[in-house]
Amino acid sequence: MALLRDPLLNKGTAFTEEERDAFGLRGFLPAHVLSMQEQVERTLINLRSLPSDLEKYIALNALHDRNEALFFRVVCDNIDEIQPLIYTPTVGLACQRFGLIFQRPRGMFIGANDRGRIGELLGNWPYQAKLIVVTDGERILGLGDLGAHGMGIPVGKLSLYSACAGVHPEHCLPVMLDVGTNNEELLNDPYYIGLRQKRISGAAYDEFVDEFITAARETFPGVLIQFEDFANHSAFRLLHKYRDKTSVFNDDIQGTAAVALAGLFSALRVGGGKLVDQTVLFLGAGEAATGIADLVVSAMRAEGASEADAIRRNWLVDSRGLVVKDRPGLTEHKLRYAHEHAPIGDFLTAIETLKPTAIIGVAAVGGAFTPEVLQAMARINQRPIVFALSNPTSKAECSAEEAYRHTGGRALFACGSPYDPVEFDGKTFVPRQGNNSYIFPGVGLGAIASGSRRVTDEMFMAAAHTLAYLVNDDDIEQGSLYPALPRIREVSAHIAAAVAEVAYKRGLATGQAPNDLIGYIESQMYDPHY
Ligand code: NAD
């Protein structure tokens, strides 16, 4: 019976006649033995009959809790269909309803009141974690503070690690640092699952996180820790505090940066020109915007630009308008891009004034790329680069259809949320998601497989180049700036190899570099089967 209850070992109706005898399963299962393929088909029939994406999310979660191999087989073989259900955009709604749809706990909830015994808690985890995705729930997608309900994000990300890059589920640990929430609605919600208190902050918060990082490293030596959906004021600080001490990265800052840079490289294959000649205007000045800008600056420098020139080619617009030098009260992470310039209050005027070749939306302001914005970009550029990266779909700056329609089909477009192909002027465009799910699974796999002691910007640069390199001519022809999602395991393997190569070259890896790096990486990848 224990076997049927263990999701890592359970095969359900696929236990063979021999296994039913050997493991004392007789009587617990109906007579007919199904193959895994039949189970996959049955799962899909059930799933497709459900009326809403949230119900599909719940059904997939329940399968995940019953039978991991089957869950991951379903995800791997139908990634286009399933990724939007287990991750963005559906996971956003799932987090908003987390208290209501909660069934079985997954991962670890570590509360502010667990100070002093976090090591003991982590010691309860029955597996040897190699990869932790941790959040404190303060900035979930573009949805704000969802407190402990943000746990859907680490769970979803780790599912993608196993499905897209073959990191074994046994090595994955989702963690919610429940430090409270400042979301009044949740504090008054009878079904809120987290601590009913305001967030701890300042030294108490930092000491709590520090105890967690120290305990995680002691309990799981060599573990890679991915920070996920922390608010600005914590995200930058935590990354800078730990990045040179241990193996950590922040996907919202660094993963997003690599996927956006790869998209820019692809766009330039169509539009012509060099990165170093682009002017990039961001809507948003947070983790994604400054993370992308920093990596774009590094890539421009690699093309020969001076640091000052490269920085000056990146501009930020936040809720108060263009980020300029004389504006009082700028937060630290914006200062690098606060250029000498007269204030500009709105995005459209910023476009008309600065004449960017690319606009990148990462402000979580739905509809902010208005027809006027898109038309202005099309007036200024022959092939305007338009990335509407905010998630979930309700926060997208524009839809794919709007991007093509208002630029006369000339936009080089990438989106944060999935969109169907668009017919415009006799041509079919296939927009693809500029989603960091192209990047983080491969980066994590490469870091784990090489036993890297750090995750560096050079690794994200290598990941961006690799991703862009894997975009083929057919993709480009149909307006896709990223490879097709069903190629994700091939993409992740190549990114992992590129990341591992950096780790070996820089002396960050554990052990000797294998002769056949890509073969070695592939041999490490979990392939769900019985
Ligand atoms: P963040 O909170 O760090 O930054 C948001 C920024 O938007 C802030 O600088 C804020 O000042 C600015 N802003 C708010 N209102 C504005 C307005 N009206 N006009 C202009 N700027 C405004 O968040 P983040 O991590 O940078 O993420 C932002 C968005 O990008 C989210 O929707 C997130 O889901 C999305 N994102 C997508 C991907 C992807 O892979 N596609 C990756 C990371 C983030």
Side-chain angles (χ1 to χ4, degrees), residues 139 232 256 285-288 318-319 362-365 389-391 434-436:
R139 199 242 60 206
N232 277 193
T256 309
E287 295 166 42
D318 65 10
S319 50
V362 275
V365 181
L389 297 186
S390 288
N391 281 321
N435 193 311
N436 28 19

Side-chain angles (χ1 to χ4, degrees), residues 26-344:
R26 287 287 168 203
F28 295 152
L29 290 162
H32 185 64
V33 177
L34 287 175
S35 68
M36 188 183 222
Q37 193 48 39
E38 287 168 322
Q39 287 183 314
V40 169
E41 285 158 18
R42 185 181 59 177
T43 304
L44 289 172
I45 291 171
N46 280 322
L47 201 62
R48 288 170 184 158
S49 74
L50 294 173
S52 73
D53 287 350
L54 187 63
E55 282 170 80
K56 293 177 189 185
Y57 175 93
I58 294 167
L60 284 162
N61 240 2
L63 176 62
H64 195 183
D65 288 343
R66 276 198 314 275
N67 181 336
E68 299 228 11
L70 179 58
F71 169 78
F72 283 114
R73 189 77 266 151
V74 169
V75 181
C76 286
D77 293 349
N78 304 276
I79 189 81
D80 261 331
E81 179 180 351
I82 307 289
Q83 178 169 310
L85 297 172
I86 60 170
Y87 201 61
T88 52
T90 312
V91 73
L93 185 57
C95 288
Q96 289 172 311
R97 306 273 171 82
F98 209 74
L100 280 177
I101 66 174
F102 184 85
Q103 294 184 3
R104 257 179 109 167
R106 173 170 286 274
M108 299 199 80
F109 293 84
I110 299 172
N113 49 7
D114 291 317
R115 273 294 312 272
R117 53 168 190 174
I118 296 179
E120 192 190 319
L121 260 67
L122 290 176
N124 290 339
W125 188 248
Y127 310 107
Q128 191 53 37
K130 291 189 179 177
L131 174 58
I132 289 174
V133 176
V134 59
T135 187
D136 71 353
E138 191 169 6
R139 199 242 60 206
I140 294 301
L141 304 171
L143 301 169
D145 181 354
L146 297 186
H149 287 181
M151 184 54 148
I153 298 294
V155 168
K157 285 242 151 156
L158 284 163
S159 292
L160 294 188
Y161 264 110
S162 299
C164 301
V167 177
H168 198 289
E170 200 175 296
H171 296 146
C172 296
L173 172 56
V175 172
M176 161 54 60
L177 294 181
D178 185 355
V179 294
T181 177
N182 295 341
N183 183 332
E184 288 295 336
E185 217 177 293
L186 290 177
L187 288 172
N188 294 319
D189 176 353
Y191 305 111
Y192 178 58
I193 64 165
L195 282 177
R196 279 150 202 277
Q197 62 173 55
K198 293 271 186 199
R199 287 181 174 274
I200 58 167
S201 59
Y205 176 90
D206 283 359
E207 284 163 20
F208 174 73
V209 175
D210 203 58
E211 185 185 334
F212 164 71
I213 300 275
T214 306
R217 293 175 64 193
E218 280 169 12
T219 313
F220 311 115
V223 70
L224 166 62
I225 300 173
Q226 175 178 325
F227 294 117
E228 190 61 42
D229 283 5
F230 284 77
N232 277 193
H233 56 99
S234 306
F236 291 105
R237 205 180 65 254
L238 294 178
L239 179 62
H240 291 131
K241 181 168 175 187
Y242 294 108
R243 63 183 303 165
D244 296 327
K245 296 199 180 106
T246 187
S247 181
V248 297
F249 72 96
N250 181 308
D251 187 49
D252 306 301
I253 301 173
Q254 297 162 288
T256 309
V259 80
L261 179 61
L264 289 174
F265 284 139
S266 295
L268 293 175
R269 263 168 73 179
V270 188
K274 293 171 80 176
L275 185 71
V276 76
D277 299 322
Q278 307 307 306
T279 301
V280 187
L281 178 64
F282 294 86
L283 184 69
E287 295 166 42
T290 53
I292 299 169
D294 285 350
L295 200 63
V296 168
V297 166
S298 301
M300 285 177 165
R301 293 197 66 195
E303 286 188 2
S306 71
E307 184 172 7
D309 285 348
I311 291 174
R312 184 128 190 126
R313 289 191 162 273
N314 290 271
W315 296 79
L316 311 176
V317 170
D318 65 10
S319 50
R320 293 166 58 204
L322 189 67
V323 172
V324 291
K325 197 158 193 166
D326 289 342
R327 193 209 283 177
L330 281 174
T331 39
E332 201 185 324
H333 65 272
K334 299 179 189 177
L335 292 179
R336 195 179 192 207
Y337 302 100
H339 304 304
E340 206 79 73
H341 199 282
I344 296 180

Side-chain angles (χ1 to χ4, degrees), residues 347-367:
F347 193 57
L348 182 57
T349 313
I351 291 178
E352 305 280 11
T353 311
L354 299 170
K355 307 210 174 339
T357 53
I359 51 172
I360 300 184
V362 275
V365 181

Side-chain angles (χ1 to χ4, degrees), residues 447-506:
I448 295 171
S450 61
S452 186
R453 288 183 291 278
R454 301 285 179 275
V455 183
T456 63
D457 280 344
E458 189 182 3
M459 293 175 181
F460 284 97
M461 184 75 84
H465 278 291
T466 307
L467 178 57
Y469 174 77
L470 292 169
V471 178
N472 61 36
D473 290 344
D474 290 343
D475 295 325
I476 292 288
E477 179 54 31
Q478 60 183 17
S480 304
L481 302 183
Y482 296 98
L485 208 46
R487 287 177 64 202
I488 189 67
R489 285 173 73 93
E490 174 202 348
V491 168
S492 296
H494 280 87
I495 289 178
V499 165
E501 200 173 310
V502 174
Y504 287 114
K505 196 167 73 190
R506 298 293 175 211

